């Protein structure tokens, strides 16, 4: 009997502690850190990961329950992986058990074996003969077929057999003439023709050289390249020699399902296994790919934010593409920023990390300014493409057709006649954002949120985009019962309708979350766009990201005003990023592109600075403003949020939390609030927030460490739902 009798297990519970268990004598597998175990937890059974072994409990060991089973033979997480998760748990003040669970594919969380899926093969025994099957012709025929291939057939391969072949298969098995064997699936070979690396431009070459610099080890790079400047080519040429020396490269992208192009570019260039990890995969595919990555077989791992936690034994480089993108930040449950975790991980592994963007975040730009990140700049487009010309279109008092001005419609007509494509951008899906009664002024509100319902004409519903509530469109005004209901404003659905009426002979497509619900929808749409069948595209920010449509020569932003007056201090930054990214879709081929921005505020400083100085000049001015206002990235923030069906409790809880913080803190950390959230009621719950801000990270985190652990003990903590958000990206 070994002395490893007591061990500590992290379990996926909101409780901020690990739990001790005993290994019963009936289990004699070796025990080590990183294995999954099944344990009793109250009336339930939970799956957790061993984080400590050989512990010496200083309390009555008779009370310590035995584990039920050890699930793995090999540890799923090595000590470096656990160290990363520990760090993330501490930094984001989130319970370790949930952080660990978040890092594992869901099948592993549920207890599945950490093995690739197996397929069943049916094959004939060597001794089998049809001699005894004279009276069973169906079985005889099937057996003869099975005998044609020694290694056997999958059910899928037998599908075309005549009649009830499944029944015949069972009978043959009962007679002992055939057997089924399970074999592990082999990773789908990347059977694509490889393409040659492109000849790099001098700027690209300089970027590649800087990143590949000597001495080796931890280094942080910001690759600021305008849209179409060839950032992906830089990643590829940095990655190629690393994977040829058996290193692994992790490439984080914001939304892979929207940009399948990037994956095929990697597969076409690199002769090593490339695997993807994102939410569009089935649980089984995700586990298979995760195993390929963690075993070291996959050399390039392209994934969305949670892929940052994938254990990679030979990690040699991390790339974070579109590092400014909000989807790298998880906004619920375990709130983390995959970009920031990636930077920590690169340091931990002593390897380079490259953050790439056409519109870098102010955080990263400040890191360059302060010398922490090395900047590589790609100011020109790759190949023959030149940047588009950008023009503000003052729509004040212009005739408008549901959101599109006459001059713009005229322009669209010209482009279509030339056989080129147009992309219209509006960040609002649905038909109209407001439904109002013309007689009494009634407005369709959600009832569960402080928000209006959006009209969706084709589905004949009113939908709340905040809580998902859907109701039928009322036939008459529910308030005065006589008034006529009017749709105010426009969403993408209405724009599409206007376009169909105005350009009946032209191929038109709408791209937003209503039309693109599945990956296949999107792939089909992309094909129709690339074939030229579709000439007019209207869409939300789904269209802003990463796409390369060489024949799009006009991009129009239909309503840029909604972003100019946001309440969040990051509104201007986001607005500039969006305008720059959407504009970047124009003129990516050999024809010059043009961008038109419709606005009622052509003199607005955000638009003016962006147009005259570009994103670089704009972000520089914005950094000076942030510095003067002592806002991030010059200061650090954390947000405590609380919500409840009771209107008063969230604020009362935050008040208690605030008083508690005042008692333990030594100064330096400012507390702002509590205040109701900008949208106070959402899905029937009242929400409030308390903001913490400090000039340095250390005092903020010092306060968080003792404070957050004690929030659980506050009298109201069980009456509200609360959460902590370190480095919040949205002030919601
Ligand atoms: P980004 O990722 O910066 O938006 P991409 O890497 O997608 O840019 O490159 C834009 C286009 O330019 C792609 O079609 C790519 O094949 C092409 N390209 C990139 N680098 C070069 C180069 N050095 N020479 C010629 N074409 C290039
Ligand atoms: Zn009315
Ligand atoms: Zn709602």
């Amino acid at each position: 009997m070994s002395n490893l009798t007591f061990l500590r297990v992290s379990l996926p519970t909101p409780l901020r502690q690990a739990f001790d268990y005993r290994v019963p004598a009936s289990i004699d597998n070796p025990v080590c850190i990183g294995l999954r175990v099944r344990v009793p937890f109250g009336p339930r059974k939970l799956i957790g990961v061993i984080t400590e072994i050989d512990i010496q409990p200083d309390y009555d060991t008779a009370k310590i329950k035995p584990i039920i089973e050890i699930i793995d033979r090999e540890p799923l997480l090595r000590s470096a992986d656990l160290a990363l998760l520990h760090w993330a748990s501490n930094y984001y003040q989130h319970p370790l058990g949930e952080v660990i669970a978040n890092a594992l594919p869901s099948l592993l969380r549920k207890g599945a074996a950490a093995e690739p899926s197996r397929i069943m093969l049916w094959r004939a025994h060597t001794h089998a003969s049809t001699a005894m099957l004279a009276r069973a012709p169906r079985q005889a025929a099937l057996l003869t077929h099975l005998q044609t291939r020694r290694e056997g057939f999958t059910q899928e391969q037998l599908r075309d057999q005549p009649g009830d072949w499944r029944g015949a298969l069972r009978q043959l098995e009962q007679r002992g003439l055939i057997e089924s064997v399970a074999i592990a699936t082999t990773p789908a070979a990347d059977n694509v023709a490889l393409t040659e690396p492109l000849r790099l431009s001098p700027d690209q070459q300089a970027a590649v050289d800087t990143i590949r610099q000597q001495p080796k080890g931890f280094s942080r790079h910001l690759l600021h390249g305008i849209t179409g400047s060839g950032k992906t080519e830089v990643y590829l040429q940095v990655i190629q020699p690393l994977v040829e020396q058996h290193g692994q490269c992790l490439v984080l992208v914001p939304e892979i399902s929207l940009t399948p192009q990037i994956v095929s570019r990697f597969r076409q260039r690199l002769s090593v296994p490339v695997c993807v990890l994102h939410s569009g995969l089935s649980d089984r595919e995700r586990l298979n790919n995760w195993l390929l990555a963690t075993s070291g077989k996959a050399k390039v791992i392209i994934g969305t934010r949670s892929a940052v936690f994938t254990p990679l034994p030979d990690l040699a480089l991390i790339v974070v593409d579109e590092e400014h993108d909000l989807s790298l930040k998880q906004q619920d449950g375990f709130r983390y920023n995959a970009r920031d975790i990636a930077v920590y991980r690169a340091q931990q592994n002593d390897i380079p990390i490259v953050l790439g963007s056409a519109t870098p975040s102010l955080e990263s730009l400040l890191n360059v300014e302060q010398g922490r990140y090395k900047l590589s700049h790609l100011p020109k487009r790759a190949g023959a493409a030149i940047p588009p010309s950008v023009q503000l279109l003052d729509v004040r008092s212009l005739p408008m057709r549901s959101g599109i001005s006459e001059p713009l419609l005229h322009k669209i007509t010209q482009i279509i006649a030339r056989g080129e494509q147009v992309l219209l951008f509006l960040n609002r899906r649905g038909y109209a954002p407001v439904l109002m009664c013309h007689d009494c002024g009634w407005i369709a509100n959600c009832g569960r949120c402080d928000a209006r319902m959006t009209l969706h004409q084709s589905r004949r519903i009113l939908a709340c985009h905040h809580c998902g509530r859907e109701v039928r469109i009322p036939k008459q005004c529910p308030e005065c019962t006589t008034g006529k209901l009017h749709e105010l404003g426009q969403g993408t659905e209405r724009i599409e309708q206007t376009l169909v009426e105005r350009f009946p002979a032209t191929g038109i497509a709408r791209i937003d979350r209503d039309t693109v619900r599945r990956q296949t929808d999107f792939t089909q749409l992309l094909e129709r766009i690339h074939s030229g069948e579709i000439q007019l595209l209207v869409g939300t920010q789904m269209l802003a990201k990463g796409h390369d449509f060489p024949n799009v020569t006009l991009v129009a932003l239909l309503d840029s005003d909604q972003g100019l007056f946001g309440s969040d201090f990051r509104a201007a930054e986001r607005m500039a990023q969006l305008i720059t990214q959407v504009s970047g879709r124009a003129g990516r081929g050999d024809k010059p592109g043009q961008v038109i921005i419709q606005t009622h505020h052509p003199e607005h400083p955000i638009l003016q600075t962006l147009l005259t100085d570009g994103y670089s000049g704009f972000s520089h001015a914005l950094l000076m403003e942030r510095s003067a206002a002592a806002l991030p990235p010059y200061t650090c923030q954390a947000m405590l949020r609380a919500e409840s069906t009771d209107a008063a409790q969230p604020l009362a809880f935050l008040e208690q939390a605030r008083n508690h913080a005042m008692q333990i803190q030594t100064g330096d950390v400012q507390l702002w609030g509590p205040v109701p959230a900008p949208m106070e009621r959402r899905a029937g719950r009242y929400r409030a927030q308390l903001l913490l801000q400090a000039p340095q990270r250390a005092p903020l985190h010092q306060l968080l460490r003792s404070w957050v652990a004690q929030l659980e003990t506050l009298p109201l903590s069980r009456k509200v739902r609360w959460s902590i958000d370190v480095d919040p990206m949205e002030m919601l």
Side-chain angles (χ1 to χ4, degrees), residues 284-306:
R284 192 70 239 182
E285 287 171 310
R286 206 181 160 94
L287 174 55
N288 285 347
N289 289 356
W290 191 86
L291 291 167
L292 283 177
T294 57
S295 66
K297 285 187 194 128
K299 297 300 174 201
V300 178
I301 295 86
I302 306 180
T304 44
R305 62 175 177 247
S306 66

Side-chain angles (χ1 to χ4, degrees), residues 18-271:
F19 297 88
D20 296 345
Y21 287 91
R22 169 165 73 75
V23 183
S26 56
I27 294 181
D28 55 4
N29 315 27
V31 173
C32 68
I33 290 173
L35 295 173
R36 279 175 305 159
V37 287
R38 198 184 306 272
V39 297
F41 189 76
R44 295 181 294 159
K45 292 173 186 163
L46 289 181
I47 291 169
V49 172
I50 302 174
T51 50
E52 273 178 70
I53 54 172
D54 203 10
I55 58 165
Q56 253 125 41
D58 51 7
Y59 51 92
D60 182 6
T61 53
K63 291 205 177 114
I64 299 182
K65 290 192 190 144
I67 61 171
I68 299 166
E69 68 167 319
I70 299 175
I71 299 173
D72 303 302
R73 257 167 297 168
E74 303 281 328
L76 287 188
L77 302 166
R78 298 156 310 149
S79 62
D81 307 321
L82 279 168
L84 178 71
L85 298 171
H86 260 290
W87 175 83
S89 161
N90 280 330
Y91 186 90
Y92 292 106
Q93 292 295 325
H94 199 79
L96 180 64
E98 289 191 351
V99 171
I100 291 178
N102 177 83
L104 298 176
S106 69
L107 284 180
L108 294 184
R109 288 204 291 273
K110 292 177 194 150
E115 284 166 11
S117 50
R118 293 171 170 274
I119 48 171
M120 296 294 272
L121 285 179
W122 292 96
R123 65 184 180 205
H125 279 300
T126 38
H127 65 264
S129 135
T130 52
M132 59 187 291
L133 296 174
R135 311 209 14 218
R138 238 181 327 117
Q139 293 175 43
L142 187 59
L143 180 60
T144 311
H145 182 66
L146 290 175
Q147 283 169 331
T148 58
R149 204 194 283 169
R150 272 219 48 78
E151 66 270 26
F153 291 81
T154 63
Q155 298 238 359
E156 183 63 27
Q157 289 164 334
L158 294 174
R159 237 184 32 196
D160 296 333
Q161 291 298 301
D164 177 22
W165 57 268
R166 287 173 202 275
L169 208 58
R170 259 197 315 278
Q171 284 154 345
L172 285 171
E173 191 186 17
Q174 279 160 15
R175 289 178 193 266
L177 296 175
I178 65 169
E179 62 178 354
S180 64
V181 286
I183 58 156
T185 51
T186 43
D190 300 335
N191 266 334
V192 288
L194 290 183
T195 56
E196 287 295 308
L198 299 173
R199 255 179 69 109
L200 295 178
S201 70
D203 290 331
Q204 284 175 316
Q205 188 64 55
V208 169
D209 293 343
T210 307
I211 299 164
R212 277 199 210 144
Q213 44 120 40
Q214 305 290 330
K216 285 190 166 48
F218 177 52
S219 57
R220 292 166 288 192
H221 302 270
L222 177 67
L223 179 61
H224 179 188
I226 64 166
T227 49
S229 59
K231 292 184 289 296
T232 313
E233 190 61 33
V234 171
Y235 305 150
L236 283 166
Q237 299 211 14
V238 173
I239 287 172
Q240 188 153 14
L242 295 174
V243 293
E244 279 166 5
Q245 294 154 35
H246 311 292
Q248 290 181 294
C249 297
L250 174 64
V251 181
L252 296 180
V253 292
E255 273 161 68
I256 214 170
S257 53
L258 301 182
T259 50
Q261 289 163 335
I262 187 166
V263 180
S264 45
R265 278 175 74 184
F266 275 74
R267 293 213 160 116
Q268 278 161 12
R269 182 64 62 73
L270 305 168
S271 59

Side-chain angles (χ1 to χ4, degrees), residues 495-570:
I495 302 290
E496 181 190 23
Q497 189 191 52
T498 308
L499 294 173
V500 168
E501 284 162 13
R502 179 83 175 224
F503 304 101
T506 305
I508 297 170
R510 167 160 62 99
I511 295 192
D512 57 30
R513 270 204 288 128
D514 296 316
T515 58
V516 180
R517 293 180 168 258
R518 289 165 305 137
Q519 173 72 52
T520 45
D521 298 343
F522 197 67
T523 315
Q524 279 167 9
L525 265 176
L526 286 179
E527 271 164 25
R528 289 170 60 210
I529 297 167
H530 283 289
S531 74
E533 177 197 334
I534 291 167
Q535 268 189 286
L536 260 173
L537 278 154
V538 52
T540 56
Q541 62 181 356
M542 264 182 148
L543 272 179
K545 293 184 184 162
H547 304 295
D548 203 351
F549 304 128
N551 205 28
V552 167
T553 53
L554 172 64
V555 167
L557 288 95
L558 297 181
D559 183 3
S560 58
D561 295 344
Q562 45 174 330
L564 293 176
F565 305 101
S567 57
D568 196 315
F569 73 86
R570 286 193 174 83

Side-chain angles (χ1 to χ4, degrees), residues 298-353:
K299 297 300 174 201
V300 178
I301 295 86
I302 306 180
T304 44
R305 62 175 177 247
S306 66
V308 74
F309 297 109
T310 316
L312 298 168
D314 304 315
L315 186 59
L317 172 81
I318 306 179
V319 171
V320 183
D321 193 27
E322 310 290 1
E323 64 86 28
H324 67 282
D325 199 283
L326 208 53
S327 66
L328 289 163
K329 173 80 163 52
Q330 180 143 304
Q331 309 270 26
D332 56 2
F334 170 28
R335 293 164 171 80
Y336 65 91
N337 190 322
R339 175 198 61 203
D340 298 342
I341 293 180
V343 173
Y344 178 83
R345 190 170 181 183
Q347 179 169 25
Q348 185 196 29
N349 283 258
D350 200 27
I351 56 169
I353 178 165

Side-chain angles (χ1 to χ4, degrees), residues 437-442 477-485:
C437 172
H438 190 52
D439 280 11
C440 74
W442 171 87
C477 172
E479 192 75 28
C480 67
T481 70
T482 51
K484 200 169 163 347
L485 297 176

